[in-house]
Amino acid sequence: PKFIFYATYLSEKIGYWRYITIYRHLEQHPEDRIYPIFRFFENWCQDENRHGDFFDAIMRAAPDILNDWKAKLWCRFFLLSVFATMYLNDIQRADFYAAIGLNAREYDKHVIDKTNDTAGRVFPVILDVKNPEFYDRLEVCIKNNEKLTSIVEGNAPKFVQFFQKLPLYVANGWQFLRLYLMKPIDAMATHGAVR
């Protein structure tokens, strides 16, 4: 169950920061509100936040879920998985963010920073997302993904494409491993502190 708690907590909290960031931007720039649905984002934001708080409470009520060396490794894994997935996917959809007046990279960096800080209130460790290496490695993955897309769109036979893509998959795996092995930030010292 702890994996479900970690994943659901992060999903709700990152959802909150994604939605509230868009909502606040569109409050200041109503000319960018291209769909009526954005008028309802504030309630969705708060729902995501409350759901995250519920899972925060569950994990705090069962401290053994968070207080061993395995929890530290799994929290790092889930944080990296969620952040990398969002960053790589959103860069591919940069046109959407541009349509509502946002820069996809800056938006994602803000959301990742806020979610990481929020996770530090309950998780024993968080990622060092302020280390320039964090985004440098994600940018390498973005370039590799662009090459993968070019290969898929090419005319080479599928078995040739497989061998063309393989080094890029390995390169991305190497980047993710290096990101995972970056020294995390110990968040335990700040637990219970008023922020």
Side-chain angles (χ1 to χ4, degrees):
K2 67 181 176 184
F3 301 141
I4 295 169
F5 296 155
Y6 298 159
T8 307
Y9 170 77
L10 278 175
S11 172
E12 299 297 330
K13 287 301 185 179
I14 204 164
Y16 167 74
W17 284 111
R18 286 174 65 85
Y19 295 152
I20 200 70
T21 301
I22 290 172
Y23 179 79
R24 288 179 180 154
H25 165 74
L26 294 177
E27 261 189 327
Q28 295 172 357
H29 301 279
E31 70 278 7
D32 291 331
R33 194 181 293 141
I34 58 175
Y35 298 116
I37 201 166
F38 288 123
R39 297 182 194 280
F40 304 101
F41 257 39
E42 187 174 24
N43 289 334
W44 290 355
C45 301
Q46 298 312 326
D47 281 346
E48 295 285 293
N49 201 27
R50 284 188 289 271
H51 299 159
D53 288 346
F54 174 76
F55 283 92
D56 177 327
I58 288 174
M59 289 187 286
R60 287 178 195 261
D64 57 308
I65 290 174
L66 297 165
N67 291 341
D68 64 8
W69 62 272
K70 290 182 278 188
K72 291 180 180 182
L73 295 177
W74 281 110
C75 288
R76 285 164 63 184
F77 171 80
F78 279 100
L79 284 164
L80 179 58
S81 298
V82 168
F83 295 164
T85 300
M86 181 186 77
Y87 194 80
L88 297 179
N89 285 335
D90 283 357
I91 300 309
Q92 291 178 337
R93 297 172 183 88
D95 290 346
F96 165 76
Y97 292 98
I100 60 172
L102 290 169
N103 175 293
R105 279 179 171 81
E106 295 309 312
Y107 165 76
D108 276 11
K109 288 177 182 178
H110 173 78
V111 169
I112 287 170
D113 189 48
K114 292 295 189 180
T115 306
N116 199 47
D117 284 347
T118 301
R121 297 176 190 168
V122 65
F123 282 4
V125 293
I126 55 175
L127 302 182
D128 187 2
V129 298
K130 294 199 179 1
N131 183 333
E133 181 184 347
F134 184 81
Y135 289 105
D136 290 347
R137 293 196 177 282
L138 288 178
E139 289 296 327
V140 170
C141 293
I142 287 170
K143 288 184 176 67
N144 289 341
N145 285 353
E146 290 168 356
K147 292 175 188 172
L148 286 165
T149 300
S150 295
I151 291 168
V152 170
E153 292 171 353
N155 295 326
K158 295 290 181 197
F159 76 92
V160 172
Q161 286 185 7
F162 172 79
F163 288 106
Q164 290 173 325
K165 293 189 291 186
L166 188 59
L168 296 167
Y169 287 136
V170 171
N172 277 355
W174 176 246
Q175 295 304 319
F176 292 138
L177 179 62
R178 295 291 304 272
L179 283 165
Y180 183 78
L181 295 176
M182 282 177 58
K183 184 178 180 186
I185 297 169
D186 182 358
M188 297 287 279
T190 62
H191 288 184
V194 177
R195 294 183 186 196

